[in-house]
Amino acid sequence: MGKNQKAEMLYQLDRPGVDQVADALSAWMEEAGVGRPDRLRIRLTMETLLLNVSEHYGGDIEGTLKIGKRLGTPYFRFRYEGEAYDPRTEEDSLTADAAVGGKRSADADFDTSDTWTKQILAGLGLAPSWRYHNGVNEITLQAPRSGIKQETLLVIAVAAAVILGAAGSYIPDGIRDGVAAYLLTPVSNLFLNLLGTFAGILVFLSVLCGVCGIGNAADFSKKGKYVMLHYLGRTAVCGLILGALTLPFYHFGSIGGSGESQFGALLDMVLAIFPHDPITPFAEGNMMQIVFMAICLGATMLVLGERTEGLRDMLTQLNATVIRVVEAICLLLPIYIFASLILVMWENGIGIFLELWKPLLLCVVLTMAAYACKAVITGIRLKVSAAKLLRKTRPALIVGLTTSSSMAAFGTVLENNEKELGIDPTLSRFAVPIGNLLCCGPTTGVLMLIVIHLASAYGVAIGFAWFITLWIMCVVMSVALPPVSGGVLVCLGLLLAQCNIPAAALGVAGTMAILFDFFDTGTRVGMMQMEVARQANHFGMLDRDVLEK
């Protein structure tokens, strides 16, 4: 069976049938290029769930397995008729209850059985989703993608654009103008129009579902809330420091000003958050107003509680739908980067591309400095040497640096947390997926660096209020970053519009994001490990013998 084909097979869910399903899944994943650690984890997960189904129905149940690809992502779907039965519930109860005296363990404060965490894990390809519709149960598991293939295509697109852009002066003017007017410009505009149509909606739904999810997470213990709030706090502080350190390296059209003018600018910034109507923010791409509306609606839904449960489910499904649409649009991202960079270079010369050495160098220095500083601060808190922390977190850092994928580093992070840092596995399994979503300090700093560089290049006047606005937006965007390839371009488009930077700069911004993503991901993964270690020490869930060896 070719890896691009779909297949449906009927199985009897007795023990041999479950083994056959597991074998079919393993074979398909190997053909689809899923890594061995992910293959083993996915097989074990699905096998456990199917055994739960078999036991629930006494082995007298048939089901249909469907395997295929959707937008390049392998998915596995198993359907069985009967009463509504979620096999994940039984598995959750085994991990949540203590084995001692039949009492609930303190470690259950970090179980992953709540709806919000399940949605996060399913979205990351780390856990199955389940639904019941018209008498049919459906278990779906989407395999995680490393993103390496997409990154390779983007790098090829950038390299090809640089070559053709540099050769522009040797191409006859008539041919060059014709290619630009009738090929490159229409392709670039088509992508921007498609992306702009859904960008505001995607950010709105991402923030809204995130607010509702955090509200569901109010059912967490105080420990769970502690983990989440500290992730958010570290993200905001790290982003602010990295952004502030970037400013001295650039010159702007205007900066500073009197105290009175800065106070007026801050007042204008606050007032500008409130929209005149619910449509204009999406039409203009006003991200501050879009985020404001999402937070207000999400907070109101939380107050109403169970009365909005149906609406929350609908919005979650709508968010997943829009993500799929944007994911399909972003398949055109390499073509857009290729076309837009050639247009920029033909118009401004190759110099605009050569100037990227400064932000690239700043990205490397600042993200690595943040990683080293985190090791020093964490080492002081844990009373262990920073060098030891850097050595123990280095494997995950290297995976992140080489793949620009936090999901590719997920297995390494979990293994290192337990075997190298001595973190309790229960805390690690809870804190790492949440950290992939909320621990985004380097991402915030990188987004600020990109916008600040382009603001300087295009002579945009900035001030204190402008910087604070940028910081707030980048914190929100780094946390609500759409989990799709090219999702960062959605955020950058809204950021550029909010900061009065021409849309033509988006191609350069996208190129910078591609280059910076490797260092952002690597340092973010390493810093997250240190933060989880600090949290484990706070909760008394850190094995110091393992940490210090």
Side-chain angles (χ1 to χ4, degrees):
M1 180 180 61
K3 67 179 180 180
N4 293 319
Q5 294 178 327
K6 296 181 180 179
E8 290 192 37
M9 293 157 280
L10 182 66
Y11 292 94
Q12 178 73 30
L13 274 192
D14 48 16
R15 179 71 236 198
V18 171
D19 289 339
Q20 291 173 3
V21 173
D23 291 341
L25 291 180
S26 295
W28 167 253
M29 287 187 290
E30 187 172 0
E31 289 184 19
V34 179
R36 186 174 183 275
D38 286 328
R39 293 204 308 269
L40 295 175
R41 173 183 54 77
I42 290 171
R43 176 183 175 126
L44 178 61
T45 299
M46 293 297 292
E47 194 170 12
T48 301
L49 296 183
L50 293 178
L51 285 173
N52 289 345
V53 174
S54 178
E55 183 178 351
H56 179 79
Y57 291 98
D60 186 22
I61 182 72
E62 287 185 337
T64 302
L65 171 69
K66 183 175 182 180
I67 53 181
K69 273 193 174 185
R70 183 187 296 110
L71 297 177
T73 303
Y75 69 90
F76 323 113
R77 178 178 299 152
F78 195 87
R79 291 175 174 170
Y80 53 96
E81 297 182 358
E83 62 182 5
Y85 170 65
D86 183 354
R88 302 173 305 171
T89 305
E90 189 168 331
E91 184 182 23
D92 292 335
S93 64
L94 295 176
T95 59
D97 294 334
V100 180
K103 296 181 180 180
R104 186 171 174 81
S105 167
D107 293 347
D109 291 324
F110 299 108
D111 70 74
T112 56
S113 61
D114 64 281
T115 302
W116 187 56
T117 310
K118 281 181 178 178
Q119 290 174 351
I120 292 175
L121 293 172
L124 296 175
L126 298 171
S129 61
W130 171 87
R131 71 166 189 161
Y132 182 75
H133 183 67
N134 291 336
V136 178
N137 294 268
E138 181 178 281
I139 305 172
T140 303
L141 183 61
Q142 176 178 294
R145 290 188 297 172
S146 66
I148 297 177
K149 181 179 180 180
Q150 179 76 352
E151 295 294 342
T152 301
L153 291 175
L154 290 172
V155 170
I156 293 174
V158 171
V162 171
I163 295 173
L164 289 179
S169 58
Y170 301 100
I171 300 175
D173 292 344
I175 296 177
R176 188 179 62 195
D177 293 343
V179 171
Y182 298 106
L183 179 60
L184 300 180
T185 299
V187 168
S188 179
N189 290 340
L190 173 64
F191 180 83
L192 288 177
N193 290 341
L194 289 172
L195 193 65
T197 300
F198 294 97
I201 300 173
L202 180 60
V203 170
F204 175 80
L205 291 172
S206 295
V207 174
L208 176 58
C209 292
V211 171
C212 291
I214 292 175
N216 291 340
D219 294 333
F220 291 162
S221 67
K222 291 182 180 180
K223 292 182 179 181
K225 294 177 184 177
Y226 177 93
V227 170
M228 296 173 61
L229 291 176
H230 274 71
Y231 274 146
L232 290 172
R234 283 355 182 233
T235 293
V237 172
C238 181
L240 179 62
I241 294 174
L242 292 179
L245 291 175
T246 300
L247 286 176
F249 294 93
Y250 290 98
H251 301 283
F252 303 92
S254 173
I255 190 169
S258 65
E260 183 178 353
S261 64
Q262 289 302 312
F263 176 79
L266 282 172
L267 181 61
D268 291 340
M269 179 195 77
V270 173
L271 294 177
I273 294 176
F274 302 93
H276 297 290
D277 59 76
I279 304 300
T280 303
F282 294 96
E284 297 179 350
N286 191 317
M287 193 174 68
M288 290 289 281
Q289 294 181 354
I290 291 173
V291 170
F292 172 78
M293 290 192 299
I295 293 176
C296 286
L297 183 57
T300 303
M301 291 171 61
L302 291 180
V303 171
L304 293 174
E306 294 181 357
R307 286 176 287 177
T308 61
E309 184 175 351
L311 178 58
R312 275 185 281 179
D313 291 341
M314 184 185 72
L315 289 172
T316 300
Q317 295 170 5
L318 181 60
N319 183 42
T321 302
V322 175
I323 285 175
R324 287 297 182 187
V325 172
V326 174
E327 192 172 42
I329 294 172
C330 286
L331 292 176
L332 301 174
L333 181 58
I335 299 175
Y336 166 74
I337 292 293
F338 174 78
S340 63
L341 283 183
I342 292 178
L343 288 172
V344 170
M345 294 176 66
W346 282 357
E347 182 177 348
N348 301 284
I350 195 172
I352 193 171
F353 193 82
L354 297 177
E355 291 175 359
L356 295 184
W357 69 267
K358 181 194 286 188
L360 179 59
L361 180 61
L362 281 173
C363 175
V364 175
V365 172
L366 291 178
T367 54
M368 289 300 176
Y371 175 59
C373 288
K374 182 68 175 178
V376 172
I377 295 172
T378 305
I380 294 173
R381 296 289 297 271
L382 301 182
K383 297 180 181 180
V384 67
S385 71
K388 184 170 292 185
L389 288 175
L390 291 173
R391 174 177 60 82
K392 287 176 176 286
T393 58
R394 184 173 58 201
L397 170 77
I398 292 174
V399 175
L401 285 174
T402 54
T403 65
S404 74
S405 171
S406 59
M407 291 318 307
F410 185 85
T412 303
V413 169
L414 290 181
E415 183 178 2
N416 281 6
N417 282 353
E418 181 179 356
K419 297 182 179 179
E420 297 293 333
L421 296 174
I423 300 171
D424 188 289
T426 307
L427 171 62
S428 184
R429 286 194 298 267
F430 172 85
V432 172
I434 302 297
N436 275 338
L437 182 70
L438 301 181
C439 187
C440 306
T443 304
T444 302
V446 164
L447 289 176
M448 295 184 72
L449 171 60
I450 293 174
V451 176
I452 288 171
H453 172 80
L454 293 174
S456 175
Y458 283 87
V460 175
I462 76 167
F464 181 71
W466 184 94
F467 178 79
I468 294 299
T469 302
L470 174 63
W471 170 58
I472 294 173
M473 291 189 302
C474 288
V475 170
V476 174
M477 286 297 95
S478 63
V479 173
L481 194 67
V484 298
S485 179
V488 67
L489 205 65
V490 175
C491 296
L492 284 171
L494 293 173
L495 285 171
L496 297 185
Q498 187 76 41
C499 296
N500 300 317
I501 298 174
L506 187 57
V508 178
T511 302
M512 295 168 69
I514 294 169
L515 298 174
F516 298 174
D517 192 31
F518 294 91
F519 302 98
D520 166 29
T521 303
T523 54
R524 178 162 55 87
V525 168
M527 292 171 67
M528 178 180 63
Q529 283 189 276
M530 298 180 200
E531 177 61 23
V532 177
R534 192 200 63 77
Q535 293 169 1
N537 184 63
H538 175 80
F539 296 128
M541 304 175 71
L542 186 67
D543 188 335
R544 297 203 63 86
D545 292 336
V546 175
L547 176 65
E548 294 172 359
K549 71 177 181 180

